[in-house]
Amino acid sequence: TQLLEQSPQFLSIQEGENLTVYCNSSSVFSSLQWYRQEPGEGPVLLVTVVTGGEVKKLKRLTFQFGDARKDSSLHITAAQPGDTGLYLCAGQTSYDKVIFGPGTSLSVIP
Amino acid sequence: DTGVSQNPRHKITKRGQNVTFRCDPISEHNRLYWYRQTLGQGPEFLTYFQNEAQLEKSRLLSDRFSAERPKGSFSTLEIQRTEQGDSAMYLCASSLDGLGSNQPQHFGDGTRLSIL
């Protein structure tokens, strides 16, 4: 069974701080996606990483895919209250099935 | 709005009743997925369609659950004889056909089911 773990589960920080959340698995994925979800809404895609070692930047967010394509990290610089939400990583298998991690719930306090 | 649309947004029903949810995917997307999400957890895969064909079903999908996509466009998810444990957010997502090409899924805002 392929599983994705995310850490930390909860994170509460002050506005302006930096943070990193992690997504780990023992399985290899053909790609990995990061989503952000706000209460009462569906997940919204932030980025897809495909190549081992790939780094993608989206404004203050930096995403990295591990060399072995088993893990990923999301780093946020100078967090803002608008970054508050549930951050989900999702791994796509070679059979196109997508497996989600349990998420990291981020709260940025003004 | 050309995103994924789900109806209703909320459904409250008594235990034992049947419920049906509808999902309208992005029009050019031939793949459609159903997920279930409980509070504080990530979405759990239930089933997915390629056009009208249901290609995979999770073991989470008991015989009380059935999904259809009769014309390869919209899809319905029916739960019969609902139980307390069925209370959750039911999410629908769609994507282009992307075997090996990592097509991302686009999600609707879900149907929140509450069983009294």
Side-chain angles (χ1 to χ4, degrees), chain B residues 19-67:
Chain B
V19 294
T20 300
F21 312 139
R22 176 177 170 129
C23 172
D24 288 90
I26 294 172
S27 59
E28 62 266 29
H29 286 182
N30 52 1
R31 290 198 172 187
L32 186 148
Y33 303 79
W34 284 100
Y35 292 87
R36 182 173 68 188
Q37 186 178 25
T38 53
L39 197 62
Q41 298 296 317
E44 295 176 292
F45 170 81
L46 293 178
T47 189
Y48 93 94
F49 293 84
Q50 170 108 358
N51 299 312
E52 66 275 10
Q54 189 173 16
L55 295 187
E56 186 172 350
K57 289 169 40 173
S58 164
R59 60 195 168 154
L60 293 175
L61 214 65
S62 76
D63 56 5
R64 296 185 298 108
F65 288 70
S66 62

Side-chain angles (χ1 to χ4, degrees), chain B residues 84-101:
Chain B
Q84 292 277 355
D86 296 333
S87 295
M89 173 79 88
Y90 289 85
L91 290 163
C92 175
S94 70
S95 74
L96 291 167
D97 183 2
L99 184 62
S101 65

Side-chain angles (χ1 to χ4, degrees), chain A residues 1 9-10 30-33 35 37 39-45 48 50 86 88 92-103, chain B residues 9 31 33 35 37 40-45 48 56 58-59 89 91 97-110 112:
Chain A
T1 302
Q9 185 178 0
F10 300 98
S30 61
S31 69
L32 195 139
Q33 292 144 12
Y35 292 81
Q37 185 178 25
E41 299 182 5
V44 175
L45 180 69
T48 299
V50 178
L86 180 68
L88 295 159
Q92 187 158 12
T93 71
S94 56
Y95 298 99
D96 274 345
K97 184 175 179 179
V98 174
I99 298 168
F100 280 84
Chain B
R9 291 296 314 277
R31 290 198 172 187
Y33 303 79
Y35 292 87
Q37 186 178 25
Q41 298 296 317
E44 295 176 292
F45 170 81
Y48 93 94
E56 186 172 350
S58 164
R59 60 195 168 154
M89 173 79 88
L91 290 163
D97 183 2
L99 184 62
S101 65
N102 307 306
Q103 294 290 344
Q105 298 181 13
H106 298 264
F107 282 83
D109 285 337
R112 179 163 294 285

